[in-house]
Amino acid sequence: MESQRQYPAQFSFEFFPPKGEQGEARLAATRDELAKLNPRYVSVTYGAGGSTQAGTLDAVRGMLGAGLDCAPHLSCIGSSKEQLRELLDTYREMGVKRIVALRGDLPSGMRDSGDLHYANELVAFIRAETGDHFHLEVAAYPEFHPQAKSALHDLDNFQRKVEAGASAAITQYFYNADAYLRFVDECEKRGLDLPIIPGIMPITNYTQLARFSGMCGAEIPRWLDRRLAAYGDDLESIRTLGHTVVVELCRRLLDAGAPGLHFYTMNQSGPTLALWRDLGLD
Ligand code: FAD
């Protein structure tokens, strides 16, 4: 873990493409609030198979227009090489220098999985098409990807992405710092020398978090799950406990040498601003 200290701490914020005028206005307000914190970059998610393509492009334009370095997420599942090539050309023309390269999940009802089946193939494709133009972030799973055959197999697959040309990794969110620290140790043992940035999910809504965690394989520790569930509709108590837990998590990660933090903002500035303030990141 010690060797991660060589990277300057980098903080980034993730957004999703909004739906409707209200969502767009909220994203613009959130973007402007969080831009004041001077993040290294911001990122915008992308629906696999191109399902949010127009929204992602609009949001990326808005971020670049606000003077932010912006990394569109790009998932390969359900897309042809030609579609991916066109999108890469568009991003290059827009001045994009970073991409978060993912496999994605095939939307239900979509049968054609496209030309590339795993993120390592996408990373290799982007490198073959565009050389070193893009700084490529990939996803990492300290608690392992839910579809992985085994923990070891998942690490092997992470290694494939790194060897294909990833520049850095962002983790799935987690609330158990040890999972991250062990994952980083395993990577170091394999000689994978790239920044692995913890993905931080603020806790604001228990029902949503529990549903999402079930799908993506992120574990809410039992003691935390029970306490959050016991608050029922008492959102204020959920937020207060959630905030305390996430501040402690971030402190522990940064103290242990994590090279930065990537905040899943859910297009809201408040929870991320509160974490920022209480972590003393100003
Ligand atoms: P991969 O790295 O390809 O891994 C997927 C699974 O396949 C794993 O179980 C892995 O072990 C296995 N595997 C990998 N390579 C091979 C191989 N060569 N042979 C056999 N098995 C293999 N989803 C979206 O739809 N849009 C987004 O914008 C988005 N952003 C995300 C951002 C972050 C930081 C993270 C952590 C996740 C994000 N996701 C997003 C979710 C992500 O798309 C899903 O978790 C998806 O199921 C896996 O994508 P991946 O890039 O990690 O896939």
Side-chain angles (χ1 to χ4, degrees):
M1 191 61 217
E2 206 56 27
S3 65
Q4 291 252 320
R5 289 183 195 282
Q6 66 189 286
Y7 305 107
Q10 55 167 296
F11 300 98
S12 47
F13 302 128
E14 179 172 315
F15 303 103
F16 59 83
K19 286 197 185 118
E21 279 177 25
Q22 233 182 331
E24 282 167 20
R26 187 169 80 165
L27 177 59
T30 301
R31 175 197 70 205
D32 292 346
E33 274 296 301
L34 294 181
K36 293 178 196 154
L37 306 181
N38 206 11
R40 173 73 61 89
Y41 72 98
V42 296
S43 78
V44 180
T45 63
Y46 181 78
S51 54
T52 67
Q53 187 163 315
T56 300
L57 276 165
D58 282 349
V60 170
R61 265 190 214 101
M63 300 289 159
L64 294 170
L68 293 160
D69 186 0
C70 182
H73 295 208
L74 178 57
S75 48
C76 59
I77 201 89
S79 294
S80 66
K81 283 187 182 173
E82 200 41 48
Q83 287 167 321
L84 294 167
R85 194 173 283 126
E86 271 176 33
L87 206 43
L88 291 172
D89 286 347
T90 304
Y91 285 140
R92 269 215 283 200
E93 281 159 22
M94 285 165 70
V96 167
K97 291 278 181 56
R98 288 175 177 265
I99 283 184
V100 181
L102 303 147
R103 181 196 72 176
D105 296 304
L106 205 58
S108 58
M110 195 185 243
R111 291 266 166 84
D112 184 359
S113 62
D115 291 339
L116 304 175
H117 300 107
Y118 294 105
N120 66 298
E121 295 171 25
L122 178 62
V123 172
F125 177 76
I126 298 175
R127 288 287 178 234
E129 293 284 320
T130 65
D132 288 336
H133 178 81
F134 293 109
H135 185 275
L136 294 182
E137 250 91 23
V138 291
Y141 300 86
E143 295 176 328
F144 306 106
H145 186 266
Q147 290 158 8
K149 274 194 241 162
S150 69
L152 191 62
H153 195 244
D154 210 27
L155 268 168
D156 291 344
N157 290 326
F158 180 68
Q159 183 162 354
R160 280 185 230 268
K161 295 196 271 199
V162 179
E163 289 171 352
S167 321
I170 307 168
T171 75
Q172 182 58 279
Y173 68 86
F174 56 87
Y175 297 105
N176 178 355
D178 288 329
Y180 169 80
L181 300 175
R182 277 177 205 277
F183 182 83
V184 170
D185 278 347
E186 287 296 327
C187 291
E188 285 180 356
K189 276 188 210 145
R190 290 169 177 242
L192 307 181
D193 183 25
L194 78 172
I196 300 172
I197 314 286
I200 302 298
M201 179 69 88
I203 299 175
T204 54
N205 177 326
Y206 171 70
T207 317
Q208 202 182 39
L209 185 73
R211 186 164 39 85
F212 197 50
S213 301
M215 288 187 309
C216 70
E219 191 178 64
I220 308 177
R222 187 178 159 84
W223 69 270
L224 178 59
D225 186 78
R226 289 297 157 105
R227 283 192 61 186
L228 291 171
Y231 285 133
D233 294 334
D234 180 359
L235 288 185
E236 203 182 320
S237 297
I238 290 174
R239 285 183 187 151
T240 304
L241 174 63
H243 176 74
T244 307
V245 166
V246 177
V247 167
E248 277 169 19
L249 172 72
C250 294
R251 274 213 191 102
R252 175 137 188 245
L253 294 168
L254 292 172
D255 287 350
L261 301 171
H262 178 81
F263 293 92
Y264 295 109
T265 70
M266 306 303 285
N267 291 6
Q268 296 172 34
S269 59
T272 299
L273 284 170
L275 292 171
W276 193 271
R277 183 195 59 224
D278 288 352
L279 287 166
L281 296 177
D282 308 294

